[in-house]
Amino acid sequence: MYRQPLSSLRNPAFRLYYGALIGQMASMNMQMVARGFLAYDLTGSEAILGSITLAATVPMLLLSLFGGVIAERVQKKYVMLIGQAGSAMVALGVAIALTLGYISPTIPESWWILVIASMLQGTIMGLMMPARQAILPEIVGEQQLLNAVSLNVMGMNLFRIMSPAIAGFLIEAFGYKAVYFTMTSLYLMAVVFIVFLPPTSKISIPESGAFRQIKEGLSYVRHETTILIILAFTLAGVILSFPYMMLMPVFAVDVLKVGAGGMGILISVSGIGAIIA
């Protein structure tokens, strides 16, 4: 295993999956800088900044259970394809709104467009992410699964460090619309990779309904102590770190007096600290 740290990349399907992962993770982490800094630039309100983040988080949390059901009933490749295409459309919509001036500091109330975009993005992520996670064992098989998961985490952490800084400098040099057009291109790149991804497992529609399946899943988790402990630690980490990351524009502008480029570097450095921790 240690002699072949990149063995999963020999799998053509995993290479396609990994290309799509790069596009998605780069876009998501660029959005962290662009959306937060833009929202605070428009309104100067910490409450509105938190509301925009909440608009993405709530549907992501609530719909992820249904996303798991969808992943069992629909070919996972198509769930990912529709999800990435939808993300590209949301990013393109914001980019066009910025280009045409519908989102502008001269129109502070235009922040509602960011709320709608955040809700749509959160909905897409909640419905798509279970399929993206569940497809990995079907692509690489049991023998390469550990290696594939390690490369998966490495890719996510790499763009967690790089993408915020890149987004910050793009904002400083070309404006917010440059980031959203770049995000659109990256999501479309992910779409192209997924198009060539071969179908994986056969689809079987259970006799029980979606809500019955969700209930059974929650019941299983409740009786598995190990899973409960992992979920508890994960939840604690998210609660303690996520608000800090989302409120970074407030610290960058009001405390440290830096622009989007400085905030991007701050988030990148925070990402390094979180990975080390």
Side-chain angles (χ1 to χ4, degrees), residues 208-250:
S208 57
F211 287 99
R212 177 68 179 273
Q213 284 187 275
I214 292 173
K215 182 179 178 181
E216 290 173 353
L218 293 174
S219 176
Y220 174 80
V221 170
R222 186 180 61 185
H223 293 92
E224 289 290 331
T225 306
T226 303
I227 296 178
L228 278 176
I229 292 173
I230 293 173
L231 289 175
F233 276 104
T234 302
L235 180 62
V238 170
I239 291 174
L240 293 175
S241 65
F242 200 67
Y244 160 75
M245 298 291 289
M246 295 302 103
L247 292 174
M248 186 67 79
V250 180

Side-chain angles (χ1 to χ4, degrees), residues 10 26 34 42 46 54 58 62 66 73 77 114 123 136 152 173 188 209 220 225 227 229 241 250 259 269:
R10 296 180 180 178
L42 290 173
E46 295 88 345
L54 185 66
V58 171
L62 296 179
F66 293 95
R73 296 170 177 243
K77 166 185 174 176
L114 295 179
T123 299
L136 191 56
N152 202 38
L188 290 176
Y220 174 80
T225 306
I227 296 178
I229 292 173
S241 65
V250 180
V269 172

Side-chain angles (χ1 to χ4, degrees), residues 11-83:
N11 184 326
F14 181 74
R15 290 198 298 269
L16 292 169
Y17 169 89
Y18 208 68
L21 173 74
I22 289 172
Q24 179 183 346
M25 296 310 300
S27 299
M28 287 175 57
N29 285 285
M30 291 177 74
Q31 180 177 254
M32 186 183 302
V33 175
R35 185 174 65 193
F37 208 86
L38 175 58
Y40 198 63
D41 192 18
L42 290 173
T43 66
S45 169
E46 295 88 345
I48 291 177
L49 176 60
S51 299
I52 292 173
T53 303
L54 185 66
T57 305
V58 171
M60 192 185 306
L61 178 65
L62 296 179
L63 295 177
S64 61
L65 295 173
F66 293 95
V69 174
I70 292 172
E72 288 190 351
R73 296 170 177 243
V74 181
Q75 182 61 244
K76 298 176 183 64
K77 166 185 174 176
Y78 300 130
V79 177
M80 294 170 60
L81 186 64
I82 294 171

